[in-house]
Amino acid sequence: MKDNNNDNPLHKLSNPARRALAKAGITDINQLSAWHEADFMKLHGTGKKGLQILKALMAERNIAFRQA
């Protein structure tokens, strides 16, 4: 399941992390602003490295995970 869509920043994540997000209904990075960081980390296939990548990508777009 290779995603060559360079317009979608989620392509920078590992395949397992992208599959986990897709399974959770996340297809666009902006949707993650409604998620808590802890909820992302609960997904099977995600981890600290993916979280770091996502946070950097989100910061570039002035978005962030939802705060508690």
Side-chain angles (χ1 to χ4, degrees):
M1 178 180 190
K2 191 163 185 170
D3 181 10
N4 289 325
N5 183 359
N6 291 332
D7 293 335
N8 184 350
L10 297 178
H11 80 278
K12 294 185 178 182
L13 295 173
S14 68
N15 285 334
R18 285 199 315 269
R19 284 192 297 267
L21 288 173
K23 187 175 180 181
I26 301 295
T27 58
D28 184 88
I29 195 166
N30 293 307
Q31 292 173 285
L32 289 169
S33 65
W35 280 51
H36 291 281
E37 189 176 303
D39 294 330
F40 170 77
M41 292 299 290
K42 290 178 187 175
L43 296 175
H44 179 74
T46 61
K48 291 180 184 178
K49 184 175 180 181
L51 179 62
Q52 290 174 335
I53 292 169
L54 262 185
K55 288 172 87 173
L57 291 169
M58 292 170 79
E60 290 172 6
R61 290 158 180 77
N62 293 320
I63 56 176
F65 283 104
R66 187 170 144 198
Q67 299 298 312

